[in-house]
Amino acid sequence: FVTGRLGYLFYQNAASWQFRVGVGSSTTASLINGGVVAPNEWQHVVGVFTPTALPAGTMTLYVNGVQVATGVGNYEPNTDAAFFVGSTASPNRTFDGAVDEVAFYSTALTAGQIAAHFAARTDNPAGYANQIQQDAPVGYWRLNEPVRVFPIAANAGSLGTAADGDYVGVTNVEGPSGGAYPGLEANN
């Protein structure tokens, strides 16, 4: 079991994007900030870690095809947790936005490759997937599924529609049964 921060993370603070990398012997991650977060606008965000003498290396953050920050950090891959998109394993780190076209590479992309990816996405969206695949990602998730709209969770209590809710992350699980909870029917 490794303690500390491992792997990488993209984060959004109030004003800018953040690229973090971590190494297991440290409880803090190396980070760089840059670019301007543009609410309700599509943005192309890329982080690159280029090793110099592992675990040390150079971190570079690009937004919309342009380098916006650089720094040094220590990196160790996270082999203890799954690859997450839109959140971390902690429920307090979710992304309140839409995510599309996620790619992961085993080699550092060049500034030219990143600029070409951004140009393809803005000038030729139909050819974007081909542009990404030409650089041989080890994982590529298009995330082009249609948006699922769940019905309103109607409130049956005295507050009426003012207390209606939304279904989020719906999972079907067996509910409580009458044998364990008094007042519920035996076949509930």
Side-chain angles (χ1 to χ4, degrees), residues 21-133:
V21 297
V23 65
S25 61
S26 174
T27 57
T28 60
S30 302
L31 61 92
I32 53 176
N33 291 296
V36 175
V37 173
N40 302 313
E41 185 177 308
W42 178 86
Q43 290 188 281
H44 185 260
V45 181
V46 178
V48 177
F49 179 82
T50 307
T52 52
L54 284 175
T58 302
M59 304 165 57
T60 309
L61 177 63
Y62 297 83
V63 176
N64 294 340
V66 177
Q67 180 180 321
V68 295
T70 189
V72 295
N74 291 316
Y75 171 76
E76 183 176 337
N78 186 341
T79 59
D80 296 332
F83 182 80
F84 288 91
V85 174
S87 73
T88 66
S90 321
N92 67 336
R93 288 209 168 91
T94 59
F95 178 66
D96 188 19
V99 179
D100 195 23
E101 306 289 343
V102 176
F104 177 77
Y105 298 86
S106 61
T107 58
L109 295 178
T110 66
Q113 288 171 307
I114 293 166
H117 289 189
F118 176 70
R121 182 63 178 105
T122 54
D123 298 337
N124 181 18
Y128 183 72
N130 290 334
Q131 179 75 36
I132 297 301
Q133 291 170 341

Side-chain angles (χ1 to χ4, degrees), residues 148-169:
R148 288 187 61 193
V149 178
F150 294 105
I152 297 295
N155 175 43
S158 61
L159 295 177
T161 59
D164 283 350
D166 296 314
Y167 293 102
V168 178

Side-chain angles (χ1 to χ4, degrees), residues 1-25:
F1 179 75
V2 177
T3 59
R5 310 279 183 179
L6 294 170
Y8 58 91
L9 172 74
F10 289 97
Y11 204 70
Q12 172 197 335
N13 61 29
S16 66
W17 292 101
Q18 190 174 88
F19 178 47
R20 300 179 185 185
V21 297
V23 65
S25 61

